Amino acid sequence: AWMGLLLICGASSCSQKASPKLTSQAADASVAKVFPHKMPTEKPDFPMSAAMERMFDYPAPRVHDNELFSQFKYTRLEGFDYHGGDGTVSRRDPSRPILVNGTYYIWYTKRDTKVPPIGWDKAAEVTDEIPSTDWDLCDIWYATSKDGITWAEQGVAVARPPKPSPGWRSVCTPDILVWKGKYYLYYQAFNEPSGLKGDWCPVSVSYADSPNGPWTHGGDEVIPFGKKGEWDQDATHDPFPIVYKGKIYLYYKAAYNKWPDDRKHYAVAHGLVTATDPLGPFTKHPLNPVLNSGHETTYFPFKGGVAALAIKDGNERETIQYSEDGVNFHIASVVSLTPTAAAPYAADMFTNTSDGRGITWGLCHFVNAGAPKKGYSIIARFDCDLSLDNNDPRFKDTGV
Ligand code: AAL
């Protein structure tokens, strides 16, 4: 019946919507037109439904062969004290780990306040000691580890500067860049409690000769806000630098369309700025935004291009995407139980590679937002196989 329909359709005016292939195929009734029992590895030359056509647009039509598909495994970290989970201590938004002389270093948002956050809708009621959100009244701390599981908290890396210097209210959500033997931390610098008007803040930078510091303030508003009316006019979040094509490619997020009177209809997108000096100036890519989904930023060199995790928020949430040029991203896989605020380790994040090898682990956070008046977050480890040098079936096997 299917063949018959095809023939009738091909011979009549209803073929207008059909692809030319369908029409010529239909004319040649001697060619088998059935999808085989074994999934083809190459795109077959016969008519297919839109869904099956699309399978061949992925890096591999069989998900197990898709280098940019993985499942995720999570491990609790050792070494961090959370005051018994009473909400007064929080660690979140970790940087990517970097390996220096056999030791991993990470930087992260740490809040240690007398009381847990009271909620961003109550930002007008906060004081210098009462946080609105989990990332209000925070400093940037760092920790070290030999195995990525047991961590030793080392102390503050970048503290809130005195009022009214940028970031006086909170510094948070750092990520690291290694460039010409020096270390650069990019982070969000709040001049008001988050939630007062929105989650409004620019990005600052500090630098050091050693991952142990000391850190020197290197500049504020390093990612220029958009002009009024543009998507990134008030917020540049989640700065995430990699080295690509000889430059610093700094990805960032803006949560936009989120106003005091219209909080429900917000959208997120990611932009790209580039520079040859870590202290700037940074130039916005003319095609910004470059990713339409993802609450935090996670990018890594992959083959000759750049891969990204789009996790939470947006039509393309829970996807892994790939671009050949760091700018034009396409969905490479759809994933589940994904790491939030993922910060993967890769030895080639800052080596200007044109043959990125991918990632197998990193850090992320879990938010305990469900406990009223006790909100806080923890950092955890994730493992996956988004690497070209690994083929661990635990992360690709979706069957039973
Ligand atoms: C995060 C990040 C940014 C936001 C807030 C703290 O996970 O997207 O850092 O400002 O939430």
Side-chain angles (χ1 to χ4, degrees):
W2 181 76
M3 296 264 292
L5 261 182
L6 208 63
L7 283 168
I8 292 162
C9 197
S12 77
S13 60
C14 79
S15 66
Q16 215 171 350
K17 276 194 178 167
S19 67
K21 197 172 21 162
L22 175 63
T23 316
S24 60
Q25 191 80 47
D28 180 2
S30 64
V31 179
K33 300 180 186 69
V34 289
F35 202 90
H37 184 253
K38 191 171 177 190
M39 169 71 90
T41 50
E42 302 287 326
K43 193 170 199 162
D45 185 24
F46 55 70
M48 283 179 283
S49 67
M52 295 316 282
E53 278 267 351
R54 205 160 60 232
M55 287 296 278
F56 298 90
D57 296 337
Y58 289 95
R62 303 187 304 200
V63 72
H64 304 78
D65 303 330
N66 185 343
E67 290 149 347
L68 284 174
F69 171 78
S70 183
Q71 298 189 102
F72 299 90
K73 172 189 151 186
Y74 297 92
T75 307
R76 186 183 284 270
L77 301 182
E78 304 291 336
F80 290 122
D81 175 26
Y82 283 94
H83 288 187
D86 66 3
T88 59
V89 172
S90 189
R91 293 180 190 80
R92 55 179 292 143
D93 289 300
S95 75
R96 282 158 291 168
I98 58 167
L99 186 59
V100 185
N101 299 329
T103 299
Y104 291 108
Y105 284 77
I106 53 164
W107 292 262
Y108 47 90
T109 304
K110 182 177 177 186
R111 180 175 57 74
D112 188 345
T113 48
K114 288 187 179 154
V115 292
I118 59 169
W120 90 321
D121 50 331
K122 299 199 182 66
E125 297 165 30
V126 303
T127 67
D128 285 352
E129 296 195 318
I130 302 177
S132 59
T133 57
D134 198 17
W135 54 97
D136 187 25
L137 294 177
C138 290
D139 300 294
I140 293 165
W141 284 59
Y142 76 114
T144 56
S145 172
K146 290 285 179 196
D147 61 4
I149 293 174
T150 301
W151 293 85
E153 189 158 71
Q154 300 292 343
V156 178
V158 178
R160 273 169 280 165
K163 198 173 178 177
S165 299
W168 65 267
R169 179 71 198 184
S170 194
V171 287
C172 69
T173 320
D175 218 319
I176 187 80
L177 167 71
V178 185
W179 177 264
K180 297 188 178 163
K182 284 195 177 6
Y183 301 87
Y184 297 83
L185 277 176
Y186 298 88
Y187 49 90
Q188 297 178 201
F190 281 89
N191 297 326
E192 61 180 31
S194 168
L196 203 58
K197 296 194 283 291
D199 198 25
W200 291 5
C201 67
V203 164
S204 295
V205 61
S206 290
Y207 59 93
D209 290 330
S210 153
N212 296 305
W215 294 89
T216 304
H217 181 250
D220 300 304
E221 296 186 30
V222 294
I223 304 173
F225 278 159
K227 292 192 213 70
K228 285 291 165 211
E230 290 181 355
W231 70 289
D232 55 356
Q233 67 167 39
D234 298 311
T236 47
H237 292 166
D238 302 274
F240 194 104
I242 61 170
V243 176
Y244 183 58
K245 294 190 176 171
K247 286 186 177 176
I248 301 155
Y249 270 52
L250 180 57
Y251 294 93
Y252 65 100
K253 176 203 81 187
Y256 63 109
N257 201 31
K258 186 179 193 177
W259 305 98
D261 57 341
D262 182 18
R263 292 216 158 139
K264 288 190 188 140
H265 299 107
Y266 93 117
V268 296
H270 296 186
L272 168 65
V273 288
T274 59
T276 49
D277 181 334
L279 301 184
F282 280 91
T283 308
K284 290 195 173 185
H285 197 280
L287 292 181
N288 277 352
V290 297
L291 209 68
N292 62 31
S293 300
H295 189 82
E296 285 98 359
T297 46
T298 307
Y299 291 79
F300 56 92
F302 195 76
K303 298 184 173 172
V306 176
L309 270 60
I311 309 304
K312 283 186 7 189
D313 294 340
N315 275 324
E316 295 178 4
R317 61 200 287 156
E318 317 304 275
T319 63
I320 297 179
Q321 309 214 2
Y322 179 70
S323 74
E324 281 176 1
D325 57 2
V327 174
N328 291 289
F329 287 86
H330 299 276
I331 295 175
S333 73
V334 178
V335 280
S336 53
L337 296 176
T338 49
T340 296
Y345 173 75
D348 56 11
M349 284 283 185
F350 310 118
T351 58
N352 194 32
T353 182
S354 51
D355 182 26
R357 305 312 296 168
I359 59 169
T360 58
W361 72 280
L363 299 177
C364 60
H365 72 212
F366 285 89
V367 179
N368 174 16
K373 301 200 173 77
K374 279 194 176 183
Y376 73 106
S377 305
I378 62 165
I379 299 175
R381 172 181 167 129
F382 71 88
D383 286 82
C384 64
D385 182 359
L386 296 168
S387 162
L388 295 163
D389 303 324
N390 198 1
N391 194 15
D392 188 330
R394 286 177 307 163
F395 299 110
K396 304 280 192 197
D397 183 4
T398 56
V400 280

PDB file of all heavy atoms in Angstrom, residues 92-93 135 173 188 190 199 237-238 253 295-296 365, ligand 1:
ATOM      1  N   ARG A  92      29.263  26.841  44.345  1.00  0.00           N
ATOM      2  CA  ARG A  92      28.571  26.611  43.072  1.00  0.00           C
ATOM      3  C   ARG A  92      29.365  27.227  41.930  1.00  0.00           C
ATOM      4  O   ARG A  92      30.361  27.908  42.130  1.00  0.00           O
ATOM      5  CB  ARG A  92      27.168  27.211  43.115  1.00  0.00           C
ATOM      6  CG  ARG A  92      27.131  28.690  43.479  1.00  0.00           C
ATOM      7  CD  ARG A  92      25.718  29.245  43.474  1.00  0.00           C
ATOM      8  NE  ARG A  92      25.179  29.276  42.127  1.00  0.00           N
ATOM      9  CZ  ARG A  92      23.902  29.024  41.816  1.00  0.00           C
ATOM     10  NH1 ARG A  92      23.036  28.718  42.757  1.00  0.00           N
ATOM     11  NH2 ARG A  92      23.499  29.094  40.569  1.00  0.00           N
ATOM     12  N   ASP A  93      28.875  26.987  40.722  1.00  0.00           N
ATOM     13  CA  ASP A  93      29.464  27.553  39.502  1.00  0.00           C
ATOM     14  C   ASP A  93      30.989  27.406  39.476  1.00  0.00           C
ATOM     15  O   ASP A  93      31.726  28.390  39.400  1.00  0.00           O
ATOM     16  CB  ASP A  93      29.052  29.024  39.356  1.00  0.00           C
ATOM     17  CG  ASP A  93      27.584  29.157  38.993  1.00  0.00           C
ATOM     18  OD1 ASP A  93      27.186  28.632  37.933  1.00  0.00           O
ATOM     19  OD2 ASP A  93      26.821  29.770  39.764  1.00  0.00           O
ATOM     20  N   TRP A 135      23.971  33.315  45.123  1.00  0.00           N
ATOM     21  CA  TRP A 135      25.226  33.884  44.634  1.00  0.00           C
ATOM     22  C   TRP A 135      25.371  35.365  45.032  1.00  0.00           C
ATOM     23  O   TRP A 135      26.192  36.082  44.477  1.00  0.00           O
ATOM     24  CB  TRP A 135      25.362  33.713  43.122  1.00  0.00           C
ATOM     25  CG  TRP A 135      24.201  34.246  42.324  1.00  0.00           C
ATOM     26  CD1 TRP A 135      24.116  35.463  41.706  1.00  0.00           C
ATOM     27  CD2 TRP A 135      22.973  33.561  42.032  1.00  0.00           C
ATOM     28  NE1 TRP A 135      22.917  35.589  41.066  1.00  0.00           N
ATOM     29  CE2 TRP A 135      22.192  34.433  41.243  1.00  0.00           C
ATOM     30  CE3 TRP A 135      22.467  32.299  42.364  1.00  0.00           C
ATOM     31  CZ2 TRP A 135      20.912  34.076  40.786  1.00  0.00           C
ATOM     32  CZ3 TRP A 135      21.195  31.957  41.912  1.00  0.00           C
ATOM     33  CH2 TRP A 135      20.442  32.836  41.134  1.00  0.00           C
ATOM     34  N   THR A 173      30.848  33.094  40.091  1.00  0.00           N
ATOM     35  CA  THR A 173      30.782  32.419  38.791  1.00  0.00           C
ATOM     36  C   THR A 173      32.059  32.651  37.970  1.00  0.00           C
ATOM     37  O   THR A 173      32.032  33.220  36.889  1.00  0.00           O
ATOM     38  CB  THR A 173      29.518  32.863  38.016  1.00  0.00           C
ATOM     39  OG1 THR A 173      28.433  32.960  38.924  1.00  0.00           O
ATOM     40  CG2 THR A 173      29.147  31.883  36.923  1.00  0.00           C
ATOM     41  N   GLN A 188      31.725  37.261  37.557  1.00  0.00           N
ATOM     42  CA  GLN A 188      30.636  38.238  37.631  1.00  0.00           C
ATOM     43  C   GLN A 188      30.845  39.157  38.832  1.00  0.00           C
ATOM     44  O   GLN A 188      31.232  38.700  39.912  1.00  0.00           O
ATOM     45  CB  GLN A 188      29.291  37.520  37.758  1.00  0.00           C
ATOM     46  CG  GLN A 188      28.971  36.663  36.559  1.00  0.00           C
ATOM     47  CD  GLN A 188      27.661  35.900  36.657  1.00  0.00           C
ATOM     48  OE1 GLN A 188      27.488  34.922  35.962  1.00  0.00           O
ATOM     49  NE2 GLN A 188      26.733  36.317  37.504  1.00  0.00           N
ATOM     50  N   PHE A 190      28.883  41.953  41.023  1.00  0.00           N
ATOM     51  CA  PHE A 190      27.578  42.579  41.306  1.00  0.00           C
ATOM     52  C   PHE A 190      27.741  43.863  42.117  1.00  0.00           C
ATOM     53  O   PHE A 190      28.470  43.882  43.119  1.00  0.00           O
ATOM     54  CB  PHE A 190      26.692  41.624  42.116  1.00  0.00           C
ATOM     55  CG  PHE A 190      26.042  40.555  41.293  1.00  0.00           C
ATOM     56  CD1 PHE A 190      26.681  39.353  41.068  1.00  0.00           C
ATOM     57  CD2 PHE A 190      24.775  40.765  40.752  1.00  0.00           C
ATOM     58  CE1 PHE A 190      26.077  38.356  40.315  1.00  0.00           C
ATOM     59  CE2 PHE A 190      24.156  39.771  39.999  1.00  0.00           C
ATOM     60  CZ  PHE A 190      24.809  38.566  39.781  1.00  0.00           C
ATOM     61  N   ASP A 199      19.029  39.944  37.250  1.00  0.00           N
ATOM     62  CA  ASP A 199      20.317  39.380  37.675  1.00  0.00           C
ATOM     63  C   ASP A 199      21.410  40.183  36.966  1.00  0.00           C
ATOM     64  O   ASP A 199      22.185  39.644  36.177  1.00  0.00           O
ATOM     65  CB  ASP A 199      20.350  37.898  37.294  1.00  0.00           C
ATOM     66  CG  ASP A 199      21.404  37.117  38.051  1.00  0.00           C
ATOM     67  OD1 ASP A 199      21.785  37.540  39.157  1.00  0.00           O
ATOM     68  OD2 ASP A 199      21.853  36.085  37.525  1.00  0.00           O
ATOM     69  N   HIS A 237      26.976  37.087  31.859  1.00  0.00           N
ATOM     70  CA  HIS A 237      27.149  36.052  32.884  1.00  0.00           C
ATOM     71  C   HIS A 237      28.049  34.939  32.369  1.00  0.00           C
ATOM     72  O   HIS A 237      28.240  34.785  31.164  1.00  0.00           O
ATOM     73  CB  HIS A 237      25.803  35.388  33.205  1.00  0.00           C
ATOM     74  CG  HIS A 237      24.819  36.273  33.905  1.00  0.00           C
ATOM     75  ND1 HIS A 237      23.494  35.949  34.012  1.00  0.00           N
ATOM     76  CD2 HIS A 237      24.970  37.449  34.553  1.00  0.00           C
ATOM     77  CE1 HIS A 237      22.853  36.888  34.684  1.00  0.00           C
ATOM     78  NE2 HIS A 237      23.732  37.819  35.019  1.00  0.00           N
ATOM     79  N   ASP A 238      28.487  34.104  33.325  1.00  0.00           N
ATOM     80  CA  ASP A 238      29.135  32.825  32.993  1.00  0.00           C
ATOM     81  C   ASP A 238      30.274  32.974  31.974  1.00  0.00           C
ATOM     82  O   ASP A 238      30.290  32.269  30.952  1.00  0.00           O
ATOM     83  CB  ASP A 238      28.093  31.820  32.466  1.00  0.00           C
ATOM     84  CG  ASP A 238      26.988  31.564  33.454  1.00  0.00           C
ATOM     85  OD1 ASP A 238      27.164  30.700  34.316  1.00  0.00           O
ATOM     86  OD2 ASP A 238      25.937  32.253  33.378  1.00  0.00           O
ATOM     87  N   LYS A 253      26.932  34.345  28.760  1.00  0.00           N
ATOM     88  CA  LYS A 253      25.475  34.233  28.646  1.00  0.00           C
ATOM     89  C   LYS A 253      24.825  35.540  29.052  1.00  0.00           C
ATOM     90  O   LYS A 253      25.361  36.255  29.905  1.00  0.00           O
ATOM     91  CB  LYS A 253      24.979  33.131  29.590  1.00  0.00           C
ATOM     92  CG  LYS A 253      23.459  32.992  29.613  1.00  0.00           C
ATOM     93  CD  LYS A 253      22.960  32.343  30.884  1.00  0.00           C
ATOM     94  CE  LYS A 253      22.880  33.302  32.026  1.00  0.00           C
ATOM     95  NZ  LYS A 253      22.543  32.670  33.310  1.00  0.00           N
ATOM     96  N   HIS A 295      21.587  27.579  30.235  1.00  0.00           N
ATOM     97  CA  HIS A 295      21.604  28.546  31.336  1.00  0.00           C
ATOM     98  C   HIS A 295      23.023  28.905  31.755  1.00  0.00           C
ATOM     99  O   HIS A 295      23.279  29.988  32.244  1.00  0.00           O
ATOM    100  CB  HIS A 295      20.830  27.996  32.533  1.00  0.00           C
ATOM    101  CG  HIS A 295      20.647  29.018  33.592  1.00  0.00           C
ATOM    102  ND1 HIS A 295      19.640  29.959  33.545  1.00  0.00           N
ATOM    103  CD2 HIS A 295      21.363  29.301  34.710  1.00  0.00           C
ATOM    104  CE1 HIS A 295      19.754  30.758  34.594  1.00  0.00           C
ATOM    105  NE2 HIS A 295      20.782  30.377  35.315  1.00  0.00           N
ATOM    106  N   GLU A 296      23.954  27.955  31.615  1.00  0.00           N
ATOM    107  CA  GLU A 296      25.354  28.275  31.845  1.00  0.00           C
ATOM    108  C   GLU A 296      26.143  27.974  30.578  1.00  0.00           C
ATOM    109  O   GLU A 296      25.561  27.510  29.597  1.00  0.00           O
ATOM    110  CB  GLU A 296      25.919  27.478  33.039  1.00  0.00           C
ATOM    111  CG  GLU A 296      25.451  27.986  34.393  1.00  0.00           C
ATOM    112  CD  GLU A 296      24.278  27.198  34.965  1.00  0.00           C
ATOM    113  OE1 GLU A 296      23.827  26.254  34.283  1.00  0.00           O
ATOM    114  OE2 GLU A 296      23.829  27.517  36.075  1.00  0.00           O
ATOM    115  N   HIS A 365      27.389  21.699  39.387  1.00  0.00           N
ATOM    116  CA  HIS A 365      26.789  21.904  40.704  1.00  0.00           C
ATOM    117  C   HIS A 365      25.361  21.360  40.762  1.00  0.00           C
ATOM    118  O   HIS A 365      24.704  21.180  39.743  1.00  0.00           O
ATOM    119  CB  HIS A 365      26.887  23.371  41.170  1.00  0.00           C
ATOM    120  CG  HIS A 365      26.005  24.358  40.466  1.00  0.00           C
ATOM    121  ND1 HIS A 365      26.372  25.679  40.277  1.00  0.00           N
ATOM    122  CD2 HIS A 365      24.774  24.268  39.917  1.00  0.00           C
ATOM    123  CE1 HIS A 365      25.395  26.327  39.657  1.00  0.00           C
ATOM    124  NE2 HIS A 365      24.426  25.493  39.424  1.00  0.00           N
TER     125      HIS A 365
HETATM  126  C1  AAL B   1      24.292  30.724  37.610  1.00  0.00           C
HETATM  127  C2  AAL B   1      24.923  31.480  36.473  1.00  0.00           C
HETATM  128  C3  AAL B   1      25.173  32.894  36.924  1.00  0.00           C
HETATM  129  C4  AAL B   1      23.896  33.533  37.336  1.00  0.00           C
HETATM  130  C5  AAL B   1      23.631  32.768  38.589  1.00  0.00           C
HETATM  131  C6  AAL B   1      24.993  32.807  39.245  1.00  0.00           C
HETATM  132  O1  AAL B   1      24.274  29.387  37.565  1.00  0.00           O
HETATM  133  O2  AAL B   1      24.134  31.420  35.322  1.00  0.00           O
HETATM  134  O3  AAL B   1      25.915  32.832  38.130  1.00  0.00           O
HETATM  135  O4  AAL B   1      24.104  34.902  37.605  1.00  0.00           O
HETATM  136  O5  AAL B   1      23.230  31.431  38.219  1.00  0.00           O
END
